[in-house]
């Protein structure tokens, strides 16, 4: 019989609940040489720690596989819990997407900048921290919410909106490195700031009235990085905070916890 301690040392330890829009940290056994999530290679630090996350529309089943130095593998199935998203059905048609040549000539370079920023590898370690809210305030838009226009689903909300006044400061939710600080307002996002927290996890802050940090700058958790605004496609001043792990959009509410009172 294999001792219980040996079984524990050979297991993949996870912190957090696998569910749609969630991020989890974990630890691999010391003899791990490779870790994969559904076939995708997952970076593992020297102390065995790693990060995984699940998209808003993640399927119900996932699988972690670790390969050990002796050639054996640990195959750990994961059940990803579904979430009940706020769906609003409206009896108006879905507005057509702006795709004229003039708009696309501006938009394509913006999307290229965003994609290049997300591809950055900075070695940041903020993913290990417990995240804080970049701004306290009333949540005016929930992650994952979606409108359905006469049966046609619109794009779901990919972040959290926090109400505020133009000029209200925002802070870094965790340590990181600035990977994009828009030199001018983007068509949709306005003044856009993106911070890499490491291991594929990044924050995006939209509609800012100003950006207080520079491209390539290392920032610390709680450091002022900008201010709330209404630039880009915004109906009023607020902060849109989006979180991504690689291509998976995740819920800031699950990462930072409940909004602090007051």
């Amino acid at each position: 019989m294999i001792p219980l301690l040996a079984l524990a040392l050979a297991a993949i330890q996870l912190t957090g609940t696998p569910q749609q829009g969630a991020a989890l940290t974990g630890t691999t056994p010391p003899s791990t040489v490779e870790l994969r999530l559904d076939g995708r290679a997952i970076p593992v630090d020297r102390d065995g720690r790693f990060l995984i996350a699940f998209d808003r529309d993640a399927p119900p089943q996932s699988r972690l596989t670790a390969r050990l130095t002796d050639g054996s593998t640990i195959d750990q199935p994961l059940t990803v819990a579904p979430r009940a998203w706020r769906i609003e059905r409206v009896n108006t048609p879905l507005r057509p997407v702006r795709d004229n040549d003039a708009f696309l000539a501006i938009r394509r370079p913006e999307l290229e900048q965003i994609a290049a920023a997300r591809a950055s590898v900075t070695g940041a370690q903020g993913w290990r921290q417990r995240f804080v809210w970049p701004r306290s305030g009333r949540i005016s838009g929930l992650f994952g919410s979606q409108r359905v226009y006469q049966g046609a689903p619109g794009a779901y909300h990919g972040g959290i909106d926090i109400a505020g006044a133009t000029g209200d400061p925002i802070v870094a939710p965790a340590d990181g490195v600035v990977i994009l600080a828009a030199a001018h307002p983007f068509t949709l996002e306005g003044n856009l700031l993106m911070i890499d927290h490491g291991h594929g996890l990044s924050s995006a802050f939209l509609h800012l009235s100003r950006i207080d940090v520079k491209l390539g700058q290392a920032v610390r958790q709680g450091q002022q990085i900008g201010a709330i605004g209404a630039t880009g496609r915004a109906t009023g001043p607020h902060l849109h905070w989006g979180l991504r792990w690689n291509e998976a959009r995740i819920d800031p509410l699950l990462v930072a916890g409940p909004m602090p009172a007051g």
Side-chain angles (χ1 to χ4, degrees):
M1 180 178 294
I2 300 174
L4 291 178
L5 178 59
L7 288 173
L9 290 174
I12 302 171
Q13 306 294 329
L14 287 174
T15 300
T17 302
Q19 59 181 314
Q20 292 176 329
L24 291 76
T25 56
T27 306
T28 60
S31 57
T32 299
V33 295
E34 183 183 60
L35 181 68
R36 291 184 175 272
L37 177 67
D38 298 326
R40 178 181 189 145
I42 303 298
V44 179
D45 280 358
R46 290 183 179 180
D47 61 359
R49 294 194 64 190
F50 65 90
L51 173 74
I52 59 173
F54 298 100
D55 186 75
R56 185 256 201 192
D57 296 326
Q61 299 297 323
S62 189
R63 188 173 297 275
L64 269 173
T65 305
R67 183 167 59 87
L68 308 184
T69 53
D70 63 2
S72 64
T73 60
I74 300 172
D75 196 33
Q76 189 162 319
L78 301 174
T79 298
V80 182
R83 297 195 35 212
W85 307 109
R86 179 175 291 179
I87 305 297
E88 181 184 0
R89 301 184 185 277
V90 294
N91 191 29
T92 57
L94 179 66
R95 289 184 298 179
V97 177
R98 294 175 61 184
D99 58 358
N100 59 71
D101 291 342
F103 173 76
L104 293 177
I106 299 172
R107 187 59 178 159
R108 283 196 188 105
E110 294 175 349
L111 293 175
E112 290 170 0
Q113 286 187 63
I114 293 171
R118 289 198 178 116
S120 301
V121 178
T122 69
Q125 294 291 298
W127 66 274
R128 291 172 171 263
Q129 297 173 311
R130 179 167 183 163
F131 277 49
V132 300
W133 285 90
R135 177 74 190 177
S136 294
R138 178 178 61 85
I139 294 177
S140 56
L142 291 172
F143 173 84
S145 59
Q146 187 177 32
R147 283 186 172 181
V148 178
Y149 300 86
Q150 295 180 343
Y156 70 81
H157 193 231
I160 285 275
D161 287 345
I162 306 168
T166 297
D168 285 349
I170 66 169
V171 302
D175 293 355
V177 176
V178 177
I179 52 176
L180 194 154
H184 55 78
F186 282 19
T187 51
L188 304 184
E189 298 86 358
N191 290 323
L192 171 63
L193 172 64
M194 295 176 63
I195 294 176
D196 175 49
H197 303 295
H199 276 228
L201 182 64
S202 63
S203 284
F205 308 94
L206 281 59
H207 312 306
L208 303 182
S209 59
R210 71 171 191 273
I211 296 173
D212 296 337
V213 290
K214 297 179 180 180
L215 181 66
Q217 181 177 341
V219 298
R220 292 294 185 187
Q221 185 178 65
Q223 176 182 339
Q224 185 171 318
I225 54 176
I228 287 177
T231 55
R233 187 177 290 179
T235 57
H238 70 281
L239 172 66
H240 174 102
W241 176 28
L243 271 173
R244 281 204 186 204
W245 178 71
N246 299 314
E247 295 305 312
R249 295 186 182 187
I250 58 180
D251 189 351
L253 188 61
L254 297 182
V255 176
M259 174 68 73

